[in-house]
């Protein structure tokens, strides 16, 4: 019974999304049609406008063009608004799960992919991370003991990557004393988490904040369209 209700709810959600999409498309096409009729009137049916004493005919055509443009602009605003809301929600949701994801994956990524074939981007990112944030390893420098590269002959006797060193020179990672590497400054996971969270807050604030501003833009657009429509009739 529960599974049936879940499927029913999912089906209803899909139908609602489809109807909303269809309505938006129809609304946009209606705006396009209104604008097209106005342009058609101005371009092809304006030969005798100079013979008319009143400018109502011309004004009507211009109003149609403006009204159609406003409708299409409203749809574009709505799409942008929805995308910004989605970006803000995703940023907030990822903000909540960031700590768990880093704890589960960062150490494995650093120890299993660093200096491994096909993972050059990971190697470069780890080196940049450790140098930029003055850290060594995921939790601490001891994490590098589990590194496949450190335990291989290619490491050249290093106990940590050279990027852990306060002053990077060749083979400086052979010595893991606190005077040589970022040993007491803490691991990279906390610093990376803080860095990403700060950016997620900015993304969320900008996305939702601008979306709220655009609500007023859409309200203004609706009012303008309504005004133009009433003036036309």
């Amino acid at each position: 019974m529960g599974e049936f209700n879940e499927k029913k709810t999912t089906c209803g959600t899909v139908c609602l999304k489809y109807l909303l999409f269809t309505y938006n498309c129809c609304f946009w096409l209606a705006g396009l049609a209104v604008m097209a009729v106005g342009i058609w009137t101005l371009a092809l049916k304006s030969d005798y406008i100079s013979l008319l004493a009143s400018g109502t005919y011309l004004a009507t055509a211009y109003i149609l063009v403006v009204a159609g443009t406003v409708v299409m602009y409203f749809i574009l605003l709505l799409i942008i608004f929805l995308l910004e809301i989605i970006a803000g929600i995703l940023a907030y949701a990822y903000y909540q799960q960031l700590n768990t994801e880093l704890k589960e994956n960062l150490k494995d990524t650093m120890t299993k992919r660093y200096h491994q074939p096909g993972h050059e981007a990971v190697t470069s990112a780890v080196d940049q991370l450790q140098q930029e944030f003055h850290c060594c390893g995921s939790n601490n420098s001891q994490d590098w003991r589990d590194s496949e590269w450190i335990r291989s002959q290619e490491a050249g006797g290093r106990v940590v990557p050279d990027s852990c060193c306060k002053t990077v020179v060749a083979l400086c990672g052979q010595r893991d004393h606190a005077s040589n590497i970022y040993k007491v400054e803490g691991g990279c996971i906390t610093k990376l988490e803080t860095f990403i969270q700060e950016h997620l807050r900015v993304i969320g604030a900008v996305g939702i904040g601008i979306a709220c501003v655009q609500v007023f833009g859409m309200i203004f657009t609706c009012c303008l369209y309504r005004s133009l429509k009433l003036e036309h009739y």
Side-chain angles (χ1 to χ4, degrees), residues 1-42:
M1 186 68 178
E3 185 178 351
F4 174 76
N5 289 334
E6 185 178 346
K7 288 183 179 179
K8 187 176 180 181
T9 302
T10 303
C11 182
T13 303
V14 171
C15 291
L16 182 61
K17 289 180 179 178
Y18 177 75
L19 288 174
L20 182 60
F21 175 76
T22 303
Y23 173 77
N24 285 335
C25 287
C26 291
F27 196 49
W28 190 83
L29 288 173
L32 181 63
V34 168
M35 185 175 67
V37 170
I39 293 174
W40 173 72
T41 301
L42 291 172

CSV table of all heavy atoms in Angstrom, one decimal, residues 1-42:
chain,number,residue,atom,x,y,z
A,1,MET,N,0.8,-1.2,0.0
A,1,MET,CA,0.0,0.0,0.0
A,1,MET,C,0.9,1.3,0.0
A,1,MET,O,0.6,2.2,-0.7
A,1,MET,CB,-0.9,0.0,1.2
A,1,MET,CG,-1.9,1.1,1.2
A,1,MET,SD,-3.2,1.0,0.0
A,1,MET,CE,-4.2,2.4,0.3
A,2,GLY,N,1.9,1.2,0.9
A,2,GLY,CA,2.8,2.4,0.9
A,2,GLY,C,3.5,2.6,-0.4
A,2,GLY,O,3.7,3.7,-0.8
A,3,GLU,N,3.9,1.5,-1.0
A,3,GLU,CA,4.6,1.6,-2.3
A,3,GLU,C,3.7,2.2,-3.4
A,3,GLU,O,4.1,3.0,-4.2
A,3,GLU,CB,5.1,0.3,-2.7
A,3,GLU,CG,6.0,0.3,-4.0
A,3,GLU,CD,6.5,-1.1,-4.4
A,3,GLU,OE1,6.3,-2.0,-3.5
A,3,GLU,OE2,7.0,-1.2,-5.5
A,4,PHE,N,2.4,1.8,-3.3
A,4,PHE,CA,1.5,2.3,-4.3
A,4,PHE,C,1.3,3.8,-4.1
A,4,PHE,O,1.2,4.6,-5.1
A,4,PHE,CB,0.1,1.6,-4.1
A,4,PHE,CG,-1.0,2.1,-4.9
A,4,PHE,CD1,-1.1,1.9,-6.3
A,4,PHE,CD2,-2.0,3.0,-4.3
A,4,PHE,CE1,-2.1,2.4,-7.1
A,4,PHE,CE2,-3.0,3.5,-5.1
A,4,PHE,CZ,-3.1,3.2,-6.5
A,5,ASN,N,1.1,4.2,-2.8
A,5,ASN,CA,1.0,5.7,-2.6
A,5,ASN,C,2.2,6.5,-3.0
A,5,ASN,O,2.0,7.6,-3.5
A,5,ASN,CB,0.7,5.9,-1.1
A,5,ASN,CG,-0.7,5.4,-0.6
A,5,ASN,OD1,-1.6,5.4,-1.4
A,5,ASN,ND2,-0.8,5.0,0.6
A,6,GLU,N,3.4,5.9,-2.8
A,6,GLU,CA,4.6,6.6,-3.2
A,6,GLU,C,4.6,6.7,-4.7
A,6,GLU,O,5.0,7.8,-5.3
A,6,GLU,CB,5.8,5.8,-2.7
A,6,GLU,CG,7.1,6.4,-3.0
A,6,GLU,CD,8.3,5.7,-2.5
A,6,GLU,OE1,8.1,4.7,-1.7
A,6,GLU,OE2,9.4,6.0,-2.9
A,7,LYS,N,4.3,5.6,-5.5
A,7,LYS,CA,4.2,5.7,-6.9
A,7,LYS,C,3.2,6.7,-7.4
A,7,LYS,O,3.4,7.5,-8.3
A,7,LYS,CB,3.9,4.3,-7.5
A,7,LYS,CG,5.1,3.4,-7.4
A,7,LYS,CD,4.7,2.0,-8.0
A,7,LYS,CE,5.9,1.1,-7.9
A,7,LYS,NZ,5.6,-0.3,-8.5
A,8,LYS,N,2.1,6.8,-6.7
A,8,LYS,CA,1.0,7.7,-7.0
A,8,LYS,C,1.5,9.1,-6.8
A,8,LYS,O,1.2,10.0,-7.7
A,8,LYS,CB,-0.2,7.4,-6.2
A,8,LYS,CG,-1.5,8.2,-6.6
A,8,LYS,CD,-2.6,7.8,-5.7
A,8,LYS,CE,-3.9,8.6,-6.1
A,8,LYS,NZ,-5.1,8.3,-5.3
A,9,THR,N,2.2,9.4,-5.7
A,9,THR,CA,2.7,10.7,-5.5
A,9,THR,C,3.7,11.1,-6.5
A,9,THR,O,3.7,12.3,-7.0
A,9,THR,CB,3.3,10.7,-4.1
A,9,THR,OG1,2.4,10.4,-3.1
A,9,THR,CG2,3.8,12.1,-3.7
A,10,THR,N,4.6,10.2,-6.8
A,10,THR,CA,5.6,10.5,-7.9
A,10,THR,C,5.0,10.8,-9.2
A,10,THR,O,5.4,11.7,-9.9
A,10,THR,CB,6.6,9.3,-8.0
A,10,THR,OG1,7.1,9.0,-6.7
A,10,THR,CG2,7.7,9.6,-9.0
A,11,CYS,N,4.0,10.0,-9.6
A,11,CYS,CA,3.3,10.2,-10.8
A,11,CYS,C,2.6,11.6,-10.8
A,11,CYS,O,2.7,12.3,-11.8
A,11,CYS,CB,2.3,9.1,-11.0
A,11,CYS,SG,1.4,9.2,-12.6
A,12,GLY,N,2.0,11.9,-9.7
A,12,GLY,CA,1.3,13.2,-9.6
A,12,GLY,C,2.3,14.4,-9.7
A,12,GLY,O,2.0,15.4,-10.4
A,13,THR,N,3.5,14.2,-9.1
A,13,THR,CA,4.5,15.2,-9.2
A,13,THR,C,5.0,15.4,-10.6
A,13,THR,O,5.2,16.6,-11.1
A,13,THR,CB,5.7,14.9,-8.3
A,13,THR,OG1,5.3,14.7,-6.9
A,13,THR,CG2,6.8,16.0,-8.3
A,14,VAL,N,5.2,14.3,-11.3
A,14,VAL,CA,5.7,14.4,-12.7
A,14,VAL,C,4.6,15.1,-13.6
A,14,VAL,O,5.0,15.9,-14.4
A,14,VAL,CB,6.0,13.0,-13.2
A,14,VAL,CG1,6.2,13.0,-14.8
A,14,VAL,CG2,7.2,12.4,-12.5
A,15,CYS,N,3.4,14.7,-13.4
A,15,CYS,CA,2.3,15.3,-14.1
A,15,CYS,C,2.2,16.8,-13.9
A,15,CYS,O,2.0,17.6,-14.8
A,15,CYS,CB,0.9,14.6,-13.8
A,15,CYS,SG,0.8,12.9,-14.4
A,16,LEU,N,2.3,17.2,-12.6
A,16,LEU,CA,2.3,18.6,-12.3
A,16,LEU,C,3.4,19.4,-12.9
A,16,LEU,O,3.2,20.5,-13.5
A,16,LEU,CB,2.4,18.8,-10.7
A,16,LEU,CG,2.3,20.2,-10.2
A,16,LEU,CD1,0.9,20.8,-10.6
A,16,LEU,CD2,2.4,20.2,-8.7
A,17,LYS,N,4.6,18.8,-12.9
A,17,LYS,CA,5.8,19.4,-13.6
A,17,LYS,C,5.5,19.6,-15.1
A,17,LYS,O,5.9,20.6,-15.7
A,17,LYS,CB,7.1,18.7,-13.3
A,17,LYS,CG,7.6,18.8,-11.9
A,17,LYS,CD,8.8,18.0,-11.7
A,17,LYS,CE,9.3,18.1,-10.2
A,17,LYS,NZ,10.6,17.3,-10.0
A,18,TYR,N,5.0,18.5,-15.6
A,18,TYR,CA,4.7,18.5,-17.1
A,18,TYR,C,3.7,19.6,-17.4
A,18,TYR,O,3.8,20.4,-18.4
A,18,TYR,CB,4.2,17.2,-17.5
A,18,TYR,CG,3.8,17.1,-19.0
A,18,TYR,CD1,4.8,17.1,-20.0
A,18,TYR,CD2,2.5,17.1,-19.4
A,18,TYR,CE1,4.4,17.0,-21.3
A,18,TYR,CE2,2.1,17.1,-20.7
A,18,TYR,CZ,3.1,17.0,-21.7
A,18,TYR,OH,2.7,17.0,-23.0
A,19,LEU,N,2.6,19.7,-16.6
A,19,LEU,CA,1.6,20.7,-16.9
A,19,LEU,C,2.1,22.1,-16.7
A,19,LEU,O,1.8,23.0,-17.5
A,19,LEU,CB,0.4,20.5,-15.9
A,19,LEU,CG,-0.5,19.3,-16.1
A,19,LEU,CD1,-1.5,19.1,-15.0
A,19,LEU,CD2,-1.2,19.4,-17.5
A,20,LEU,N,3.0,22.3,-15.7
A,20,LEU,CA,3.6,23.6,-15.5
A,20,LEU,C,4.5,24.0,-16.6
A,20,LEU,O,4.5,25.1,-17.1
A,20,LEU,CB,4.4,23.6,-14.2
A,20,LEU,CG,5.1,24.9,-13.8
A,20,LEU,CD1,4.1,26.0,-13.6
A,20,LEU,CD2,6.0,24.7,-12.5
A,21,PHE,N,5.3,23.0,-17.1
A,21,PHE,CA,6.2,23.3,-18.3
A,21,PHE,C,5.3,23.6,-19.5
A,21,PHE,O,5.6,24.5,-20.3
A,21,PHE,CB,7.0,22.0,-18.5
A,21,PHE,CG,7.9,22.1,-19.8
A,21,PHE,CD1,9.0,22.9,-19.8
A,21,PHE,CD2,7.5,21.4,-20.9
A,21,PHE,CE1,9.8,23.0,-20.9
A,21,PHE,CE2,8.3,21.5,-22.1
A,21,PHE,CZ,9.4,22.3,-22.1
A,22,THR,N,4.2,22.8,-19.7
A,22,THR,CA,3.4,23.1,-20.9
A,22,THR,C,2.7,24.4,-20.8
A,22,THR,O,2.7,25.2,-21.8
A,22,THR,CB,2.3,22.0,-20.9
A,22,THR,OG1,2.9,20.7,-21.0
A,22,THR,CG2,1.4,22.2,-22.2
A,23,TYR,N,2.3,24.8,-19.6
A,23,TYR,CA,1.7,26.1,-19.4
A,23,TYR,C,2.7,27.2,-19.7
A,23,TYR,O,2.3,28.2,-20.4
A,23,TYR,CB,1.1,26.2,-18.0
A,23,TYR,CG,0.6,27.6,-17.6
A,23,TYR,CD1,-0.6,28.0,-18.1
A,23,TYR,CD2,1.4,28.5,-16.9
A,23,TYR,CE1,-1.1,29.3,-17.8
A,23,TYR,CE2,1.0,29.8,-16.6
A,23,TYR,CZ,-0.3,30.2,-17.0
A,23,TYR,OH,-0.8,31.4,-16.7
A,24,ASN,N,3.9,27.1,-19.2
A,24,ASN,CA,4.9,28.1,-19.5
A,24,ASN,C,5.2,28.2,-20.9
A,24,ASN,O,5.4,29.3,-21.5
A,24,ASN,CB,6.2,27.8,-18.7
A,24,ASN,CG,6.0,28.1,-17.2
A,24,ASN,OD1,5.2,28.9,-16.8
A,24,ASN,ND2,6.8,27.4,-16.4
A,25,CYS,N,5.3,27.1,-21.6
A,25,CYS,CA,5.6,27.1,-23.1
A,25,CYS,C,4.4,27.8,-23.8
A,25,CYS,O,4.7,28.6,-24.7
A,25,CYS,CB,5.7,25.7,-23.6
A,25,CYS,SG,7.3,24.9,-23.1
A,26,CYS,N,3.2,27.5,-23.4
A,26,CYS,CA,2.0,28.1,-24.1
A,26,CYS,C,2.0,29.6,-23.8
A,26,CYS,O,1.7,30.4,-24.7
A,26,CYS,CB,0.7,27.4,-23.6
A,26,CYS,SG,0.5,25.7,-24.1
A,27,PHE,N,2.3,30.0,-22.6
A,27,PHE,CA,2.4,31.4,-22.2
A,27,PHE,C,3.4,32.1,-23.0
A,27,PHE,O,3.2,33.2,-23.5
A,27,PHE,CB,2.7,31.5,-20.7
A,27,PHE,CG,2.3,32.8,-20.1
A,27,PHE,CD1,1.1,33.5,-20.4
A,27,PHE,CD2,3.3,33.5,-19.3
A,27,PHE,CE1,0.8,34.7,-19.8
A,27,PHE,CE2,3.0,34.7,-18.8
A,27,PHE,CZ,1.8,35.3,-19.0
A,28,TRP,N,4.6,31.5,-23.2
A,28,TRP,CA,5.7,32.1,-23.9
A,28,TRP,C,5.3,32.2,-25.4
A,28,TRP,O,5.5,33.2,-26.1
A,28,TRP,CB,6.9,31.3,-23.8
A,28,TRP,CG,8.2,31.9,-24.3
A,28,TRP,CD1,9.0,32.8,-23.7
A,28,TRP,CD2,8.7,31.7,-25.6
A,28,TRP,NE1,10.0,33.2,-24.5
A,28,TRP,CE2,9.9,32.5,-25.7
A,28,TRP,CE3,8.4,30.9,-26.7
A,28,TRP,CZ2,10.7,32.6,-26.8
A,28,TRP,CZ3,9.2,30.9,-27.8
A,28,TRP,CH2,10.3,31.8,-27.9
A,29,LEU,N,4.7,31.1,-26.0
A,29,LEU,CA,4.3,31.1,-27.4
A,29,LEU,C,3.2,32.2,-27.6
A,29,LEU,O,3.1,32.8,-28.7
A,29,LEU,CB,3.8,29.8,-27.8
A,29,LEU,CG,4.9,28.7,-27.9
A,29,LEU,CD1,4.3,27.3,-28.2
A,29,LEU,CD2,5.8,29.0,-29.0
A,30,ALA,N,2.3,32.3,-26.6
A,30,ALA,CA,1.3,33.4,-26.7
A,30,ALA,C,1.9,34.8,-26.8
A,30,ALA,O,1.5,35.6,-27.6
A,30,ALA,CB,0.3,33.3,-25.5
A,31,GLY,N,2.9,35.0,-26.0
A,31,GLY,CA,3.6,36.3,-26.0
A,31,GLY,C,4.3,36.5,-27.4
A,31,GLY,O,4.2,37.6,-27.9
A,32,LEU,N,4.9,35.4,-27.9
A,32,LEU,CA,5.5,35.5,-29.2
A,32,LEU,C,4.5,35.8,-30.3
A,32,LEU,O,4.8,36.6,-31.2
A,32,LEU,CB,6.2,34.1,-29.5
A,32,LEU,CG,7.0,34.0,-30.8
A,32,LEU,CD1,8.2,35.1,-30.8
A,32,LEU,CD2,7.6,32.6,-31.0
A,33,ALA,N,3.4,35.1,-30.2
A,33,ALA,CA,2.3,35.4,-31.2
A,33,ALA,C,1.8,36.8,-31.2
A,33,ALA,O,1.6,37.4,-32.2
A,33,ALA,CB,1.2,34.4,-31.0
A,34,VAL,N,1.6,37.3,-30.0
A,34,VAL,CA,1.1,38.7,-29.8
A,34,VAL,C,2.1,39.7,-30.4
A,34,VAL,O,1.8,40.6,-31.2
A,34,VAL,CB,0.9,39.0,-28.3
A,34,VAL,CG1,0.7,40.5,-28.2
A,34,VAL,CG2,-0.4,38.3,-27.8
A,35,MET,N,3.4,39.4,-30.1
A,35,MET,CA,4.5,40.3,-30.6
A,35,MET,C,4.6,40.2,-32.2
A,35,MET,O,4.8,41.2,-32.9
A,35,MET,CB,5.8,39.9,-30.0
A,35,MET,CG,6.9,40.9,-30.4
A,35,MET,SD,8.5,40.5,-29.5
A,35,MET,CE,8.9,38.9,-30.2
A,36,ALA,N,4.4,38.9,-32.7
A,36,ALA,CA,4.5,38.7,-34.1
A,36,ALA,C,3.4,39.4,-34.9
A,36,ALA,O,3.6,40.0,-35.9
A,36,ALA,CB,4.4,37.2,-34.4
A,37,VAL,N,2.2,39.4,-34.3
A,37,VAL,CA,1.0,40.1,-34.9
A,37,VAL,C,1.3,41.6,-35.0
A,37,VAL,O,1.0,42.3,-36.0
A,37,VAL,CB,-0.3,39.8,-34.2
A,37,VAL,CG1,-1.4,40.7,-34.7
A,37,VAL,CG2,-0.7,38.3,-34.4
A,38,GLY,N,1.9,42.1,-33.9
A,38,GLY,CA,2.2,43.5,-33.9
A,38,GLY,C,3.2,43.9,-34.9
A,38,GLY,O,3.1,44.9,-35.6
A,39,ILE,N,4.3,43.1,-35.0
A,39,ILE,CA,5.3,43.4,-36.0
A,39,ILE,C,4.8,43.2,-37.4
A,39,ILE,O,5.1,44.0,-38.3
A,39,ILE,CB,6.5,42.4,-35.8
A,39,ILE,CG1,7.2,42.7,-34.4
A,39,ILE,CG2,7.5,42.5,-36.9
A,39,ILE,CD1,8.3,41.7,-34.0
A,40,TRP,N,4.0,42.2,-37.6
A,40,TRP,CA,3.3,41.9,-38.9
A,40,TRP,C,2.5,43.1,-39.3
A,40,TRP,O,2.5,43.6,-40.5
A,40,TRP,CB,2.5,40.7,-38.8
A,40,TRP,CG,1.7,40.4,-40.0
A,40,TRP,CD1,2.1,40.0,-41.3
A,40,TRP,CD2,0.2,40.5,-40.1
A,40,TRP,NE1,1.0,39.8,-42.1
A,40,TRP,CE2,-0.1,40.1,-41.4
A,40,TRP,CE3,-0.8,40.9,-39.2
A,40,TRP,CZ2,-1.5,40.1,-41.9
A,40,TRP,CZ3,-2.1,40.9,-39.7
A,40,TRP,CH2,-2.4,40.5,-41.0
A,41,THR,N,1.8,43.7,-38.4
A,41,THR,CA,0.9,44.8,-38.6
A,41,THR,C,1.8,46.0,-39.0
A,41,THR,O,1.5,46.8,-40.0
A,41,THR,CB,0.1,45.2,-37.4
A,41,THR,OG1,-0.7,44.1,-37.1
A,41,THR,CG2,-0.8,46.4,-37.7
A,42,LEU,N,2.9,46.3,-38.3
A,42,LEU,CA,3.7,47.4,-38.6
A,42,LEU,C,4.5,47.3,-39.9
A,42,LEU,O,4.7,48.2,-40.6
A,42,LEU,CB,4.7,47.6,-37.4
A,42,LEU,CG,4.1,48.1,-36.1
A,42,LEU,CD1,5.2,48.0,-35.0
A,42,LEU,CD2,3.6,49.5,-36.2
